[in-house]
């Protein structure tokens, strides 16, 4: 995967979307690319009597458009103050649809982990859960900031740095795509890469009919696979700092814990074992809700390009 030509970010005026904007601006500055700031909104309405052929808007469109244009002007000013070139766009559309359509012309799309209420279309709950499945490029979901600056702003250069990108792997083609994405991000941020393999033995390790060495056998197999991933990564990228760890536990718990000391957490959209069904079930939702750092999910097309079908396809 090559470095993106520009980064797409969705904003709705909430603190969470401003934090996503700051993260996107910081990444664009590191990668030397332009930022495109999009605000998509819908007008709430009510369905009238049978004499009405369509819903009647409850909010004046001109007022809504001016409101969004104003927040985009402030977002643009916020970005260019960091030295990053930026463009803006307003569209009346479902936010997920608007972002996914424009993702085909983007290298990365960034959204906040929560959104504004009122008449603005929220940029999570719906968007962060659905956009990674529909996006043509990698998606980054940025959680809310734990702290703000003294003046309440969320300046891009105040984002905490750990110098590490964590990637969840399980040996599937999906995790291969996650590895490739993690390398791109590590190079952009000047960070190290840590591979984390979660192994869940709940419901198995205490079974009386299993061989006493079952636990160590499973963990040993996972370590062997992880060692091969590390060796391949070091051979392909000798200048990259790479580490790895096998952790016993459920993938969502392990990855959430690992995110506490990372700049970015990268996970595949589906896999086998610990992260099977990611973005389709409870594990993905738990990771997106609980991560301490931004979460990147590669585009599903890049995962298919990694080779073969995965369990659950």
């Amino acid at each position: 995967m090559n470095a993106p030509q520009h980064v797409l970010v969705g904003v709705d005026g909430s603190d969470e979307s401003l934090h996503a904007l700051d993260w996107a601006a910081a990444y664009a500055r590191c990668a030397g690319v332009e930022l495109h700031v999009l605000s998509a909104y819908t007008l709430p309405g009510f369905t009238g009597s049978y004499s009405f052929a369509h819903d009647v808007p409850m909010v004046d469109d001109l007022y809504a458009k001016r409101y969004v244009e104003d927040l985009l002007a402030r977002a643009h000013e916020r970005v260019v103050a960091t030295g990053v070139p930026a463009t803006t766009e307003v569209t009346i559309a479902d936010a997920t649809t608007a972002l996914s359509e424009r993702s085909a012309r983007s290298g990365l799309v960034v959204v906040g982990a929560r959104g504004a209420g009122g008449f603005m279309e929220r940029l999570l709950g719906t968007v962060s859960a659905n956009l990674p499945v529909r996006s043509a490029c990698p998606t980054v979901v940025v959680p809310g900031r734990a702290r703000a600056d003294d003046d309440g702003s969320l300046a891009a250069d105040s984002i905490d740095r750990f110098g590490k990108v964590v990637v969840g792997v399980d040996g599937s083609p999906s995790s291969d795509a996650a590895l490739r994405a993690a390398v791109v991000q590590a190079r952009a941020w000047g960070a190290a890469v840590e591979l984390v393999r979660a192994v869940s033995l709940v419901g198995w390790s205490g079974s009386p009919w299993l061989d006493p060495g079952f636990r160590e056998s499973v963990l040993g197999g996972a370590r062997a696979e992880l060692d091969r991933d590390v060796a391949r990564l070091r051979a392909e990228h000798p200048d990259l700092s790479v580490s790895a760890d096998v952790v016993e536990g459920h993938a969502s718990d392990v990855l959430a814990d690992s995110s506490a000391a990372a700049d970015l957490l990268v996970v595949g959209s589906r896999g086998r074992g610990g992260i099977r069904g990611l973005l389709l079930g409870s594990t993905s939702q738990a990771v997106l809700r609980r991560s301490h750092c931004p979460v990147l999910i590669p585009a599903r097309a890049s995962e298919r390009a990694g080779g073969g079908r995965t369990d659950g396809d």
Side-chain angles (χ1 to χ4, degrees):
M1 183 172 63
N2 297 321
Q5 296 303 307
H6 77 265
V7 176
L8 171 66
V9 57
V11 299
D12 66 0
S14 65
D15 285 347
E16 286 78 5
S17 76
L18 290 179
H19 186 29
L21 177 71
D22 290 340
W23 189 94
Y27 175 76
R29 184 172 54 193
C30 290
V33 296
E34 184 179 85
L35 196 64
H36 185 62
V37 187
L38 172 74
S39 189
Y41 70 97
T42 55
L43 298 175
F46 66 93
T47 302
S49 66
Y50 65 87
S51 61
F52 287 98
H54 53 77
D55 288 353
V56 180
M58 295 172 60
V59 176
D60 179 74
D61 179 47
L62 182 59
Y63 170 80
K65 184 178 180 182
R66 287 175 176 170
Y67 177 90
V68 177
E69 287 175 342
D70 179 63
L71 78 85
L72 276 180
R74 286 182 276 116
H76 183 267
E77 182 179 354
R78 186 186 187 98
V79 171
V80 297
T82 70
V84 175
T87 56
T88 62
E89 179 185 359
V90 177
T91 183
I92 303 177
D94 167 74
T96 301
T97 299
L99 290 166
S100 62
E101 287 176 351
R102 288 154 182 78
S103 70
R105 304 187 298 274
S106 307
L108 193 70
V109 57
V110 184
V111 294
R114 292 289 186 275
F119 73 84
M120 296 293 295
E121 177 67 29
R122 290 184 296 175
L123 283 178
L124 194 73
T126 54
V127 178
S128 70
N130 296 327
L131 182 60
V133 179
R134 298 173 55 183
S135 177
C137 70
T139 300
V140 175
V141 178
V142 182
R145 176 183 292 276
R147 62 174 180 83
D149 294 337
D150 292 339
D151 62 358
S153 66
L154 305 175
D157 57 5
S158 68
I159 296 173
D160 293 330
R161 295 279 177 255
F162 294 93
K164 183 169 65 176
V165 172
V166 171
V167 53
V169 297
D170 67 356
S172 69
S174 179
S175 71
D176 285 344
L179 267 176
R180 293 192 296 272
V183 169
V184 171
Q185 291 294 316
R187 291 196 179 284
W189 293 111
V193 175
E194 180 179 0
L195 286 65
V196 175
R197 177 72 179 262
V199 178
S200 179
L201 297 174
V202 175
W204 291 96
S205 58
S207 300
W209 58 83
L210 292 177
D211 184 277
F214 172 77
R215 176 178 175 275
E216 285 305 319
S217 175
V218 172
L219 292 175
R223 290 191 188 98
E225 283 193 4
L226 193 57
D227 287 344
R228 288 193 290 271
D229 285 336
V230 171
R232 174 166 56 89
L233 207 57
R234 286 174 174 166
E236 294 173 352
H237 308 280
D239 59 330
L240 196 64
S241 175
V242 181
S243 61
D245 194 15
V246 172
V247 182
E248 187 175 346
H250 191 277
S252 61
D253 296 329
V254 171
L255 294 175
D257 290 344
S258 298
S259 72
D263 297 320
L264 184 69
L265 173 62
V266 184
V267 294
S269 68
R270 65 192 66 201
R272 67 179 191 183
I275 57 173
R276 181 177 181 178
L278 197 62
L279 289 182
L280 302 176
S282 60
T283 299
S284 63
Q285 299 304 315
V287 169
L288 290 174
R289 285 196 307 268
R290 297 170 55 193
S291 178
H292 299 275
C293 71
V295 179
L296 183 147
I297 303 98
R300 294 178 68 180
S302 70
E303 297 184 351
R304 288 193 295 270
R309 289 172 62 89
T310 61
D311 293 342
D313 278 354

